[in-house]
Amino acid sequence: MIERAASGPLRRLVVLRHAKSARPEGVADHERPLAARGRRDAPAAGRVLADMDCLPGLALCSTAVRARRTWELAAAQWGTPPPVRFDPRLYHADVPTLLGVVRETPAETETLLLVGHNPGLEGLVLTLAADGLDDTLARVHAKFPTSAVAVLDWRGAGWRDLVPGGALLTSVAVPRGRR
């Protein structure tokens, strides 16, 4: 159950963990590119978001190369990608930082996409979700792998109203591209 009575328009937070990255020798963590599997999986994530009718009005993305490339490949699957903000605070952010950045989202944004890293994203999903449909919570507790997508629905006048335990985890998917 959602912990507090919620009012306001339905809002949706879509959380996308970056696709599988490579680990080339001598390349700093922030600059790591996507691996071949990541380059296949990121477009699949974009197609899954379109199929789920979860296209965002705004995207917030980590500045890490692997997150930026995941965003680019996923968004290329949509007719008109939404505006994106690359925010250095999202690089390996913890849950309080992630929630703080999300709460800065303009109130007119109904669906927000957050592209980043674990363990922060998994922690954010588990912190915000008071409950989940079917086995969604158990799946996130078990693992939130690369390219995973979680969809959280909640009601509020603005993003500043999003609180721990204030959302319902409605969907979890782990898109994989074909070889």
Side-chain angles (χ1 to χ4, degrees), residues 36-116:
R37 187 179 100 197
R39 291 189 304 272
R40 291 189 305 268
D41 293 349
R47 290 188 295 273
V48 163
L49 290 173
D51 291 346
M52 293 168 59
D53 196 27
C54 286
L55 297 183
L58 174 66
L60 302 176
C61 185
S62 163
T63 56
V65 169
R66 60 192 178 273
R68 291 174 70 105
R69 190 68 178 132
T70 298
W71 156 254
E72 291 165 359
L73 291 170
Q77 304 303 304
W78 312 328
T80 304
V84 60
R85 294 183 187 160
F86 297 102
D87 192 323
R89 296 175 296 172
L90 299 177
Y91 175 63
H92 287 306
D94 59 13
V95 172
T97 301
L98 291 168
L99 187 54
V101 172
V102 167
R103 285 178 172 157
E104 294 172 4
T105 301
E108 60 270 11
T109 302
E110 292 178 359
T111 299
L112 175 67
L113 173 63
L114 184 62
V115 184

Side-chain angles (χ1 to χ4, degrees), residues 115-149:
V115 184
H117 312 268
N118 259 4
L121 291 183
E122 179 179 323
L124 181 68
V125 170
L126 295 174
T127 297
L128 292 176
D131 202 356
L133 298 181
D134 302 320
D135 65 345
T136 53
L137 275 174
R139 291 177 60 202
V140 174
H141 271 289
K143 188 173 183 181
F144 196 66
T146 55
S147 300
V149 175

